[in-house]
C-alpha cells in the first residue's frame, strides 16, 4: 500500500529531517540524527520499527487532518449528503432542515451503511493489532483490502476502466490489485453520478406539483402570487403522506452493496 495518500505531510517532514541529518554527517557534525532527538526511528532486533513520541504525535495529527477527506471520499457520505441536499432544494424549504441536521443525518446513515465493513476491519485489522498479534503494516494492508472491496463493489466499471486507462494500467485481476490512486477518483466519480441520478428522480414529483400550481395560478389570473409559496404546503403534505424520509433513507441504503 502506498502511504503517501495518508502521510504526505509526514513524508515531507521526514525527508527534510533525513536530508538535514545527512548534511550534518557529511560536515562532521554528527553521524546520526542525534541533533534532533525528538525525531528518532529505531529498528529493533525483531524487525519492528519504533518511532519516537514526537513522530507518533505527528502521525496522529496528520491522520486526524486527513480524516474528513477519507470520510468524504471512501465511504457513502458523498452520495447521501448530495441526495439530501437535492431533496431539500426540491421541497423548496430553503434552510430547513439546516445544514447541521443534514450533515448529522448523512453521518449516521454513513455509519449504518458502512457498519459491516467497519466491523470486519475491526475484527481482521484493528483488534489483532491492539492485541499485538500483527504489526502496523499487516494491519494497514488487511484493513485497506476490506475498504477496497467495498469501494470496488460500489464503483461503476466504466469509471474504473476510464481511470485505469488514463493511468496506463492493465485490467486488474482482483480488487486488491486496484491502487488507491485509481480507485479513489473512480469511486468519487461514480458516487457523484449515482447521487445526481437519485436526485433527479426525487425532483420530478415536486417539479410536477410546481408546474400544476403555476399553471393554476396563471389561469386564475393571480400573477402576483408566488407559485413557490403556494406549492410548498402541497409538497410538504405529499412528502409526509408517502412517508418520504423513510422512503428516501431506505432507498439510499438499498443502493449500496455491502459485504
Amino acid at each position: 500500500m502506498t502511504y503517501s495518500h495518508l502521510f504526505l505531510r509526514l513524508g515531507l517532514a521526514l525527508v527534510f529531517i533525513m536530508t538535514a541529518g545527512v548534511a550534518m554527517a557529511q560536515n562532521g557534525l554528527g553521524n546520526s540524527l542525534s541533533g534532533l532527538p525528538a525525531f528518532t526511528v529505531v529498528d529493533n532486533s525483531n524487525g519492528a520499527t519504533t518511532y519516537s513520541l514526537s513522530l507518533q504525535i505527528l502521525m496522529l495529527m496528520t491522520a486526524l487532518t486527513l480524516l474528513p477527506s477519507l470520510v468524504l471520499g471512501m465511504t457513502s457520505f458523498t452520495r447521501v449528503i448530495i441526495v439530501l441536499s437535492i431533496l431539500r432544494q426540491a421541497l423548496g424549504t430553503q434552510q430547513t432542515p439546516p445544514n447541521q441536521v443534514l450533515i448529522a443525518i448523512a453521518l449516521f446513515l454513513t455509519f449504518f451503511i458502512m457498519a459491516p465493513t467497519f466491523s470486519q476491519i475491526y475484527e481482521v485489522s484493528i483488534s489483532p493489532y491492539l492485541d499485538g498479534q500483527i504489526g502496523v503494516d499487516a494491519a494497514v494492508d488487511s484493513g485497506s483490502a476490506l475498504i477496497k472491496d467495498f469501494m470496488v463493489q460500489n464503483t461503476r466499471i466504466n469509471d474504473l476502466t476510464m481511470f485505469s486507462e488514463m493511468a496506463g494500467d492493465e485490467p486488474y485481476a482482483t480488487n486488491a490489485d486496484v491502487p488507491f490512486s485509481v480507485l479513489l477518483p473512480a469511486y468519487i466519480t461514480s458516487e457523484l453520478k449515482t447521487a445526481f441520478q437519485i436526485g433527479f428522480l426525487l425532483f420530478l414529483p415536486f417539479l410536477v406539483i410546481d408546474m400544476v400550481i403555476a399553471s393554476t395560478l396563471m389561469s386564475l389570473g393571480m400573477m402576483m402570487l408566488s407559485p413557490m409559496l403556494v406549492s410548498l404546503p402541497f409538497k410538504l403534505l405529499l412528502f409526509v403522506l408517502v412517508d418520504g424520509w423513510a422512503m428516501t433513507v431506505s432507498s439510499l441504503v438499498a443502493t449500496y452493496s455491502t459485504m
Side-chain angles (χ1 to χ4, degrees):
M1 174 184 175
T2 303
Y3 294 97
S4 59
H5 298 89
L6 302 179
F7 304 110
L8 178 58
R9 297 182 181 178
L10 176 60
L12 293 176
L14 290 177
V15 169
F16 173 77
I17 295 169
M18 293 173 63
T19 305
V22 172
M24 290 170 61
Q26 292 178 349
N27 293 331
L29 299 178
N31 297 323
S32 63
L33 292 179
S34 58
L36 294 171
F39 299 96
T40 57
V41 179
V42 179
D43 293 330
N44 300 327
S45 58
N46 57 358
T49 303
T50 302
Y51 299 93
S52 65
L53 180 60
S54 300
L55 279 179
Q56 294 179 21
I57 295 176
L58 180 60
M59 294 170 64
L60 176 62
M61 296 304 296
T62 303
L64 291 177
T65 302
L66 296 177
L67 182 61
S69 299
L70 297 179
V71 172
L72 293 175
M74 302 176 66
T75 63
S76 59
F77 182 84
T78 302
R79 183 187 303 185
V80 175
I81 192 63
I82 290 177
V83 171
L84 294 180
S85 299
I86 294 178
L87 176 61
R88 183 178 66 178
Q89 186 176 0
L91 286 171
T93 54
Q94 302 300 325
Q95 294 298 320
T96 305
N99 294 330
Q100 293 84 348
V101 175
L102 287 185
I103 294 176
I105 296 174
L107 283 176
F108 294 149
L109 288 179
T110 299
F111 292 145
F112 179 80
I113 294 171
M114 301 294 297
T117 304
F118 288 159
S119 299
Q120 290 196 11
I121 291 176
Y122 180 80
E123 295 174 359
V124 175
S125 178
I126 299 178
S127 181
Y129 171 72
L130 295 178
D131 295 337
Q133 300 175 2
I134 59 176
V136 178
D137 295 340
V140 172
D141 290 339
S142 58
S144 62
L146 293 174
I147 198 68
K148 275 185 180 180
D149 289 337
F150 170 82
M151 296 174 67
V152 171
Q153 290 176 8
N154 295 280
T155 303
R156 286 182 170 83
I157 298 179
N158 295 335
D159 296 329
L160 188 59
T161 303
M162 178 185 66
F163 281 97
S164 64
E165 290 178 351
M166 287 191 296
D169 294 341
E170 298 293 333
Y172 306 108
T174 61
N175 295 345
D177 296 334
V178 183
F180 276 110
S181 59
V182 173
L183 183 56
L184 283 174
Y187 178 75
I188 286 292
T189 303
S190 179
E191 287 291 280
L192 290 175
K193 183 177 181 179
T194 303
F196 277 94
Q197 288 178 342
I198 299 174
F200 171 76
L201 295 178
L202 288 175
F203 218 106
L204 283 180
F206 301 109
L207 179 62
V208 172
I209 294 177
D210 288 334
M211 294 177 62
V212 171
I213 296 297
S215 300
T216 302
L217 292 178
M218 290 183 63
S219 62
L220 294 176
M222 305 174 65
M223 304 294 183
M224 302 301 295
L225 187 59
S226 173
M228 296 295 296
L229 182 63
V230 178
S231 63
L232 178 59
F234 290 98
K235 290 189 289 187
L236 293 178
L237 178 62
L238 173 65
F239 194 69
V240 171
L241 289 177
V242 301
D243 198 7
W245 286 113
M247 291 180 60
T248 303
V249 169
S250 60
S251 299
L252 275 174
V253 174
T255 57
Y256 279 96
S257 174
T258 57
M259 295 180 293

